[in-house]
Amino acid sequence: MEAFSERPLSPERHPPVGRSRKGRASRLDPRSAAGQVFLLQVVIVVLLVVAAVVGMVLQAASDALQQGRRESVVAAQSFASAPGVAAALQSRDPSAVLQPRAEAARKRTGMDFVVVMSTKGIRYTYPYPQEIGKKFVGAIAPALQGRTVIEQAGGPPLPAGRGTDVQAVVPVTDSRGKVVGLVSAGITVKNVAGLWLPQLSIILAGGAVALALAMTGTTLVSRRLRRQTFGLAPLELAQLYEHHDAVLHAVREGVLITDADGRLLLANDEATRLLGLPADARGRSVRELRLSEPVMSLLSSREEVTDEVLRAGDRLLAVNKRPTYPQGDRGGSVVTLRDTTELAEISGRAEVSRERLKLLYEAGVRIGTTLDVRRTAQELADVAAPQFADLVTVDLLDAVLRGWEPTAEGWRHLCRAAIGGDQRMTPVYPLDEVIAFSPRTPQMRTLQEGRGMLETDLRRSDGWREQDPERARKALEAGLRSLVAVPLRARNVPLGVANFYRMADSPAFDPEDLAFAEELAVRAAVALDNARRFTREHTMAVALQRSLLPRGQPEQDALEVAWRYLPSEAGVGGDWFDVIPLPGARVALVMGDVVGHGLHAAATMGRLRTAVHNFSTLDLPVDEVLGNLDDLVVRMDNEKNRGDAVEGQEGEGVTGATCLYAVYDSVAGTCTTARAGHPEPVVVRPDGTVTCLGVPVSAPLGLGGYPFESVEVSLPEGSQLVLYTDGLVENRAHDFDVGMERLRRALGGSGTRTPEETCQAVIDALKPSRPSDDIALLTARTRRFPRSRMAEWDVPPDPALVPSVRARCRETLLEWGLEETGFATELIVSELVTNAIRYGSPPIGVRLLHGRCLICEVSDGSGTSPRLRRAAATDEGGRGLFLVAQFAQRWGTRYTTRGKVIWTEQLLHDGESAASGVAPVDFLLDQFDDPGV
């Protein structure tokens, strides 16, 4: 500034004008600040030296007095306990004996006196003989009672001269403990100067050093002050401050200075005017001054700013900011403000552009966070309102919400998918309402023409009011004024319309706003189309999987079953389960998992489930079922690896599939289980005990060549088998062991629950908030086949005994009230037993089970299986299995470790067999007819 142009920047090189040589007086001049500080330091040093001397004198006197007390006690006690003292006191002339000894002891111990006295206080000894026989000066009563007395007292003159007399009085006792005299020893503490005079020189030397350091420090401080003030005298500094203050408040540029804590230290008149600061702003925090947010943020931060434009009310301010201490960390800053209101229009456009770029960036981040169509539409509405529009509505074609490919036929019917902003301020169609737009509305025109529509004043928009005149009237009364309708298009396919509204108190939309809305809609349309395509794929996968999973519980008597299936967030997966009734009052339980999600995993799951059904129909052992599944998965993997497979197909290969296969026999009460890489099933016994079946784990399906082990466990009636996939017990939050422990706790005490209650309790306890994998859960409570509805007996291998077998069968059926089924059952039993005797081998047995159906089983020790065929008219045999097949609902062969079992099932309806309606005689005639004759 011009005010400082007369002063050079380097005062050390060029002394300021008017600075006299007299001003360069001694730095220790008492009139200067440095000289006054030095005088103060001198006074402090002198006071410290005096205090040190006084303290040392007092300490020396105290130490001398304490030493005298100790020495007097020792001397008195030593003399009193010396041999012969007590006897001398009882002699005829104690002074003659004790005086020489007392003087010798006084000189030897350095005491000023050693006085021996009688119990009445009469001296027997004293350094001056003329004092012998006189009364002792001091307290002797405590000593006569056997105590030692230490005191300060005066008395006759002593060889040591005047001073403080410290004496000790001790008793002298004879052999019986009687006090026969007293001994007093004392010393005169007359001068302690000899104790502290040698140290006085040290104290004075320290004081001199302190004065020298004070003088040196004062000199250095004086030099530093002169450098910092550029050698100016106090008067010159005062003049400089006055000039600075005058210039500071005269310039047309605002100046603010803040400290490290954000308090305002200085604000000139121009800054006060530009920011509207209160009169008491100085010393207050900038956050208390109610400034605009940009200005307050600028003043509160520590960042440097160069020519940044900020809005303060109706002004635009060019701001510069620098730290007050650039080379240090002391904080504080100086801010200069310049009014640039003439640049308001240009700056406003720049601000609008910046806000729109920011909004486009925010739209790219916030729109499309999920693959849900409605959620994506709501994200578009939330981003645009209220930053761009006061009210935003998104209307989508119904086909888009369902995931279908949109067509032009559905344009007139759009569904309100999202609303952004305060919809209470104007009447709008509610969410999920289907709207039929008329051809003249901006919404329909933007769909047909594929471009945005701008309505700057809705009061003049006949097409918009034509849609719903009453609703339009209410909206205009509420203050609705301007509209921008833009199409949502992706891949040149219309998806819907986005409507942006502004109220009367907001500026109307202009062509630049229309261009921005179209850009925003383009970004949102891509996310909407991705969500639509995902919805379509997800719907197809769900439909496929639902068609492949069990839709209802099959009819069976062995188990009471309940299940749950929860898909993951990633979509449909490959988890499946099944309940398959088997002959002989048995049920197969299956639980499997194909790694992956989507259509491929669901299709693979369907193939494996169908294969399990087929293998279970063959009634194979559980380990053989898993072995056949393993071969199937290997073949499926080989098909995927062939050269004619589609490249890039989702889910190449099936490696990773797991399966658990269990068969429960309600007659024997046993469960045979094997598992291929699947989690072990859990058993809840009737008393609530939770255990595992102990099934050995085998390799997952698809590895090939690995055997599968099975285990057979006896289960009491009422036990609950819990089968599950790994998604139930393992997720990102915890590992498998933690999940198993949580499952055991959830199943604890479930012995009295129904399977449905157990399923719900497990899901409530273990279901994650955001499942990353599918969850399949199957709970089955065991039942035992009633013994009263079971009959079995052994049959000797003699054809002549077949009639007796039929008779026994007839009796059993009469007992069960099934006499109407007697003819068919006797025929079945007769044919099966005859074949077992003729073609099989012992042992032969018959078993009848009366449950939902009537089960007849004939077992023998042979491994050969009968085959159904049509017998010719000339054949002697081959017609028995025809009869069995016609009278039984189902029949088949089951192999055991001891042979085979041929079984049949007859459905019962109101006590009658389903086959009883067929005329046996007519049927036999039909079978024996030879169509070739």
Side-chain angles (χ1 to χ4, degrees), residues 245-305:
D245 189 64
V247 173
L248 182 67
H249 293 286
V251 297
R252 299 301 296 173
E253 185 171 293
V255 179
L256 298 172
I257 299 179
T258 60
D259 63 4
D261 298 328
R263 289 192 303 270
L264 185 63
L265 301 181
L266 182 145
N268 66 350
D269 296 341
E270 182 67 8
T272 303
R273 183 184 68 84
L274 293 177
L275 298 179
L277 298 176
D280 59 344
R282 187 172 181 178
R284 295 172 58 183
S285 174
V286 295
R287 297 189 177 276
E288 301 177 2
L289 301 179
R290 298 182 179 180
L291 301 175
S292 62
E293 180 61 28
V295 176
M296 185 175 64
S297 300
L298 175 70
L299 296 178
S300 301
S301 67
R302 301 186 64 178
E303 299 180 358
E304 296 185 11
V305 174

Side-chain angles (χ1 to χ4, degrees), residues 590-857:
V590 188
M591 182 69 69
D593 185 4
V594 177
V595 176
H597 296 87
L599 291 175
H600 176 74
T604 303
M605 176 268 290
R607 296 179 66 179
L608 294 180
R609 181 171 180 254
T610 302
V612 172
H613 269 273
N614 294 334
F615 295 144
S616 64
T617 301
L618 298 176
D619 218 342
L620 299 176
V622 294
D623 54 343
E624 293 186 20
V625 171
L626 293 183
N628 292 329
L629 279 179
D630 184 55
D631 294 338
L632 175 62
V633 173
V634 170
R635 290 196 300 273
M636 294 168 65
D637 284 338
N638 293 335
E639 292 174 1
K640 294 294 181 182
N641 295 329
R642 291 178 184 173
D644 57 353
V646 179
E647 293 185 2
Q649 182 177 354
E650 178 191 6
E652 296 180 356
V654 194
T655 303
T658 64
C659 183
L660 184 144
Y661 187 77
V663 175
Y664 174 69
D665 188 345
S666 63
V667 177
T670 59
C671 181
T672 306
T673 311
R675 59 185 178 125
H678 202 82
E680 188 175 9
V682 177
V683 178
V684 182
R685 301 191 179 274
D687 59 357
T689 305
V690 180
T691 59
C692 293
L693 284 180
V695 184
V697 63
S698 302
L701 301 177
L703 299 182
Y706 292 93
F708 297 95
E709 300 182 54
S710 62
V711 65
E712 182 177 288
V713 179
S714 179
L715 298 177
E717 185 175 7
S719 300
Q720 292 194 38
L721 278 169
V722 180
L723 283 63
Y724 52 93
T725 55
D726 56 358
L728 180 69
V729 296
E730 186 177 19
N731 55 37
R732 300 170 185 172
H734 54 75
D735 56 14
F736 184 82
D737 294 334
V738 176
M740 285 298 300
E741 182 61 29
R742 295 178 59 194
L743 177 60
R744 292 189 182 95
R745 290 198 300 266
L747 292 173
S750 299
T752 58
R753 296 176 182 168
T754 63
E756 187 69 27
E757 295 172 345
T758 301
C759 279
Q760 192 59 45
V762 171
I763 292 298
D764 293 341
L766 275 73
K767 177 187 175 183
S769 58
R770 302 174 66 89
S772 59
D773 195 6
D774 298 351
I775 296 175
L777 175 65
L778 176 65
T779 303
R781 182 159 62 183
T782 61
R783 297 171 178 166
R784 293 296 294 270
F785 201 90
R787 305 296 298 179
S788 60
R789 294 190 171 218
M790 180 176 61
E792 57 181 340
W793 56 88
D794 296 330
V795 179
D798 185 359
L801 298 177
V802 174
S804 64
V805 174
R806 290 199 302 269
R808 190 166 182 179
C809 176
R810 187 183 311 114
E811 294 174 358
T812 302
L813 295 178
L814 289 174
E815 182 180 345
W816 289 345
L818 302 177
E819 58 273 6
E820 297 296 332
T821 64
F823 176 80
T825 306
E826 290 180 38
L827 178 61
I828 292 173
V829 171
S830 177
E831 290 296 334
L832 295 181
V833 170
T834 301
N835 286 341
I837 294 174
R838 180 177 298 177
Y839 304 109
S841 59
I844 301 172
V846 176
R847 185 169 71 173
L848 296 179
L849 302 175
H850 178 202
R852 290 178 180 267
C853 59
L854 180 62
I855 302 173
C856 177
E857 297 179 346

Side-chain angles (χ1 to χ4, degrees), residues 442-576:
Q443 290 82 359
M444 187 54 60
R445 290 172 56 198
T446 192
L447 275 178
Q448 293 173 346
E449 300 178 19
R451 62 184 181 88
M453 293 294 167
L454 172 62
E455 297 288 348
T456 56
D457 191 351
L458 290 176
R459 293 172 294 183
R460 302 176 184 177
S461 177
D462 297 333
W464 178 76
R465 294 200 307 270
E466 179 184 285
Q467 173 66 28
D468 191 338
E470 182 62 24
R471 190 184 299 271
R473 183 186 63 80
K474 293 180 179 179
L476 293 175
E477 291 176 354
L480 206 62
R481 286 296 179 268
S482 186
L483 164 67
V484 168
V486 292
L488 297 171
R489 299 174 64 89
R491 298 179 296 108
N492 205 27
V493 176
L495 305 176
V497 179
N499 306 296
F500 304 93
Y501 295 93
R502 281 185 181 174
M503 306 299 290
D505 54 355
S506 299
F509 288 115
D510 55 27
E512 292 184 1
D513 294 325
L514 175 60
F516 174 77
E518 290 177 337
E519 177 67 22
L520 188 62
V522 168
R523 301 194 178 201
V526 175
L528 283 170
D529 189 56
N530 291 336
R532 179 194 64 81
R533 299 175 69 179
F534 173 79
T535 301
R536 179 184 59 182
E537 179 182 349
H538 181 73
T539 303
M540 294 172 59
V542 169
L544 175 62
Q545 189 184 48
R546 295 300 183 189
S547 66
L548 296 176
L549 288 175
R551 297 188 179 182
Q553 296 190 11
E555 294 184 357
Q556 46 86 27
D557 295 323
L559 296 171
E560 182 184 353
V561 182
W563 59 68
R564 294 287 188 278
Y565 176 79
L566 303 176
S568 68
E569 287 187 341
V572 176
D575 293 13
W576 95 91

Side-chain angles (χ1 to χ4, degrees), residues 388-438:
F388 176 67
D390 297 321
L391 178 65
V392 180
T393 62
V394 180
D395 303 324
L396 299 178
L397 300 177
D398 185 66
V400 175
L401 293 174
R402 297 176 182 270
W404 303 340
E405 193 74 19
T407 59
E409 289 78 7
W411 283 7
R412 290 197 60 185
H413 299 280
L414 286 86
C415 180
R416 180 59 49 87
I419 300 176
D422 190 0
Q423 58 181 326
R424 295 172 298 178
M425 61 186 177
T426 179
V428 295
Y429 291 104
L431 287 175
D432 299 326
E433 181 168 343
V434 178
I435 309 170
F437 288 103
S438 64

Side-chain angles (χ1 to χ4, degrees), residues 194-270:
L195 299 176
W196 58 269
L197 282 177
Q199 300 181 12
L200 181 60
S201 59
I202 299 175
I203 296 176
L204 294 178
V209 171
L211 288 175
L213 291 177
M215 180 180 296
T216 302
T218 303
T219 302
L220 295 177
V221 170
S222 176
R223 289 179 179 179
R224 183 173 180 83
L225 288 175
R226 294 175 71 87
R227 284 198 303 269
Q228 290 182 347
T229 59
F230 301 104
L232 297 178
L235 180 59
E236 294 175 319
L237 287 175
Q239 293 176 350
L240 180 64
Y241 174 78
E242 292 174 357
H243 298 162
H244 169 267
D245 189 64
V247 173
L248 182 67
H249 293 286
V251 297
R252 299 301 296 173
E253 185 171 293
V255 179
L256 298 172
I257 299 179
T258 60
D259 63 4
D261 298 328
R263 289 192 303 270
L264 185 63
L265 301 181
L266 182 145
N268 66 350
D269 296 341
E270 182 67 8

Side-chain angles (χ1 to χ4, degrees), residues 907-924:
L907 296 181
L908 303 177
H909 299 287
D910 297 331
E912 297 183 359
S913 173
S916 61
V918 181
V921 178
D922 296 338
F923 174 73
L924 289 176

